[in-house]
Every structure is written in structure tokens, then in C-alpha cells.
Amino acid sequence: MTVLTYNSDLILSAKQTRLAAMKLAVLSTAAKNEAIEAIATALESAQDEIIQANIADCEAAESEGIAKPLYKRLQLDEHKLKDNIVGVRDIGKLSDPVGSISIHRKLDTGLILKRVSCPLGVLGIIFEARPEAAIQIASLAIKSGNGVILKGGKEAIRSCEAIVKAIKKGLSQTTVDPDAVQLLTTREETLELLKLDKYVNLIIPRGSNSFVQFVQQNTTIPVLGHADGICHLYIDKAADIDKAVNIAVDSKTHYPAACNAIETLLVHQEIASSFLPQVAEALQKLNVELRGDEATQSILSNIVPATEEDWETEYSDLILSIKVVDSLPEAITHINEYGSKHTDAIVTEDIEAAENFLSLVDAAGVYHNCSTRFADGFRYGFGAEVGISTQQIPPRGPVGLEGLVTYKYKMIGNGHVASNYTGEDAKPFLHKDLLQ
């Protein structure tokens, strides 16, 4: 029999986070918003320290041969930091997701039922690179009344330490216990975190396919996330070519390391000969390597052949696979077979074709005539996101505040007993909804 051993210091930290989360769960909206503003102010004050820490992380990662997509995610410059601080303040402006009543029902005279939203408890967030994730997630956790245990990748350790130090300093000036936010720094702690089902209510991994699968396979705690970002853009036969070229270029090159960048471009055969040369020229000017099926190669002779593996690959880089399809149904079939249920888009002026695509493609995000790069919590107006979920059950897509709460049923009576509502002389229930 295998005996599990536990890190006593980590357990103590998890307990402290749990207690802090319990106190946070009952704080007023005003108190939480004050904490959010304190976090933003503290991050502004610590800007130089955070950026210098990130420079040190980037230099160390580069010397160790970090992959280019991961390196781009690791970088946190002044502009990106300021954008994230704006996002923190945007979270403070959002409605409080806690305490919302979705059912208010009179079961009988004096017997009232309410379904009320409440925090999940403690979130365990494990992420690779992207130190700004610590900013976004901590702010969303505080606003939604949750404690959070953060575990950043080793490549971002200095950045995360500087960020969490600032967040805790800001919280120390408020009614929110700084223990509500904790940072883990070692791989061993990651493995231990996955065992803490007594203290952690939800694990959210943000990273590569293999990383997310590892987390899912090594914990009994519920996991929210996505394993791949294999996004598609389909150019329909009724597409506006100029519009399609612009959308394709943005979807691939705006930030190729992002999970919402396209990896496969599908083109209807009727438009392929006119569209492909134009989009290829635009993409190759930006150093995108193109890989195509036989039909694509017959039009673009200087590209690499695409293989079955290409349709299943998230490049996270300036590489794009292209396939010519006979019809909209073939495009939808390809997407549903190879896609990761993240975000897929169609470019067309045919409204019926667009509606069919949006209805039949099985993805968290389905777009018409716009870039897949809009799949983002900040761009959706969530302030930020804890991650993107591609699972079928809610929450799905970018997960903001609404995905970090659950609900409980609260019932108030006056000596009511269930036996009065059963049997020969059973009282009837009124079941009268009291919500407007």
C-alpha cells in the first residue's frame, strides 16, 4: 500500500487560506472593492520591482533555452503591466457575483426558499509563464470572495514573487486577510497541492496540453481548463476577400503564442484560387510558415506539405496549416473532428451559412466575420479571466467572476415539518415565485 506524505508547511498555508477565504466570503461589496483598489495601487507602487524581476526571469529563461512561444508569454513589460492594472480596476467596477438570488419562492405560508450565489472557497491555480496571470486571478478571487493558492512556473518565479508581495502588501491595508492569496514556488508543492482536496475546491491549470492532462490525471479535486487551443478560421465561398485576409492575418499573427490564435485555415474551393495567393503573401511578409494539403499546394507551390499531424497540432508559433474544403459541411466536420472546442470562426457574407456554422460548430466560442483573438475575458468585459474552459458544462469559454461562484439553497420556516405535506391529508405546496 502506498503511503502519501504531506508537506506540513503547505497544509498550514492551505488552512490559513481556507480561514481567510471564509472571512472574505462574508465581506461587503464595498470592502472587496476597497481591496481591489488597494491591489492596483500596490502594483503601481511596485512597478519597477516587478519589471526588474521579470527581466531577471527572462534572462535566466533565455540562457536555459526556453521555447520562443513560452518566452513571449513570460515577458511582462511596462505596457503589459499597466494594462493588467487597468484590468484590476475594471474588476472592481463589475457587479458583485456573490449574494445574487436566482430563486425566491414561497413553498407555503411562512416557508420561503432562496437560491443564493456564494464563493467556491479556495482556488488552486497552476500556470506556466504568464506572470500577469497572478494579477488577474488574485483580483478575480478577491472580488468573488474566494481564497487562492497560486503556483507559477519556475521560469516566472521572480516575477510572481514580486507580484504577490505587492498584492499582499495592498491587502494588508484592508479588511481582507492577506493569507487569502498564497504563492507556491516548487514543483514538489504542485504535486502536494493536487492532493489537498480537504482545503482546495477547484484547480485551474493554465499551460500546455501535456501539463493540463498531467493535472487532470493526478488530482481528485475538480479541474477547470482546456488542454489545447487548436482554433480554426473558415473562409466561405461568400467571403469578402479583403475582410478575410485581414481577419486571417490578425487571428494568426497578432499574438501567435496565445491559445486563441488560429492553427488551421480552411478555405472553400470556389474562392481558394483568388483568396490563397493574397493571404499567403500577407502572412509570409510576417514570416508565417505555411503548410498545405494537396489542393492548397496546387495553388501555392512554395509551401510545406501538411500532414495529419498538422491538423492536430497547436503550434503557438508563426506556423499555419491550410486545407481546401468542398463545402461548409466539410469545414464544420473538420473543425469538430480536429478542433479543441476553444474558438472557431467563419468569414462570409452569407447570413444563412454563418448561422449554420455558429449553430453546428462545437466550440466555446463561435465567431462570424471577426478574429479569434477576441476570445479573452478582458475583451469580453470580464475585467480579466482565470482561464478558458472548453468543457461542455458551465462555465465555458473565458471564465471570469461568474465562473467562480456556486450557489446554496437557503430555506426559512416557522416550525414547518415535511410530514405535514405527505399522506392522506397532505398540505399542498404553493410554489409561488416571489422574484419580479
Side-chain angles (χ1 to χ4, degrees), residues 97-309:
V98 177
S100 175
I101 301 172
S102 53
I103 292 178
H104 188 190
R105 184 169 296 155
K106 179 191 286 189
L107 304 187
D108 196 2
T109 302
L111 186 61
I112 306 298
L113 173 70
K114 293 181 181 180
R115 186 169 70 189
V116 185
S117 60
C118 61
L120 290 171
V122 175
L123 314 174
I125 316 292
I126 312 170
F127 54 97
E128 295 177 327
R130 280 208 183 100
E132 70 268 21
I135 297 173
Q136 300 168 1
I137 293 164
S139 303
L140 287 168
I142 297 300
K143 180 74 180 217
S144 58
N146 292 293
V148 62
I149 300 175
L150 300 164
K151 172 59 180 73
K154 65 177 183 178
E155 67 282 348
I157 186 170
R158 300 172 186 84
S159 305
C160 290
E161 286 177 334
I163 287 168
V164 173
K165 177 183 175 183
I167 290 172
K168 283 179 167 287
K169 184 176 181 180
L171 292 178
S172 69
Q173 309 300 314
T174 74
T175 54
V176 175
D177 186 341
D179 283 340
V181 179
Q182 302 280 10
L183 176 67
L184 308 183
T185 57
T186 69
R187 185 176 187 277
E188 291 71 26
E189 287 175 319
T190 302
L191 298 173
E192 296 292 341
L193 174 64
L194 298 179
K195 303 172 186 174
L196 297 181
D197 56 343
K198 185 175 180 180
Y199 305 105
V200 179
N201 301 92
L202 181 67
I203 295 287
I204 303 177
R206 295 179 60 166
S208 66
N209 181 13
S210 59
F211 169 70
V212 174
Q213 288 185 350
F214 172 84
V215 170
Q216 292 171 332
Q217 293 165 6
N218 286 275
T219 187
T220 59
I221 303 169
V223 177
L224 183 151
H226 73 279
D228 283 311
I230 302 177
C231 301
H232 297 77
L233 179 64
Y234 166 59
I235 310 303
D236 185 52
K237 63 181 179 181
D240 177 302
I241 289 184
D242 289 339
K243 189 183 296 183
V245 170
N246 288 335
I247 291 172
V249 169
D250 186 84
S251 296
K252 178 71 256 184
T253 68
H254 180 243
Y255 188 7
C259 59
N260 57 15
I262 60 168
E263 308 296 8
T264 298
L265 180 66
L266 303 173
V267 183
H268 195 286
Q269 61 176 356
E270 290 188 23
I271 203 172
S273 60
S274 55
F275 170 73
L276 283 176
Q278 294 186 48
V279 76
E281 180 182 6
L283 289 167
Q284 289 172 334
K285 281 182 179 178
L286 296 171
N287 301 313
V288 178
E289 176 189 324
L290 303 179
R291 302 178 182 182
D293 66 349
E294 289 186 8
T296 302
Q297 292 176 76
S298 69
I299 299 170
L300 305 174
S301 58
N302 61 338
I303 66 171
V304 177
T307 67
E308 181 75 10
E309 184 179 355

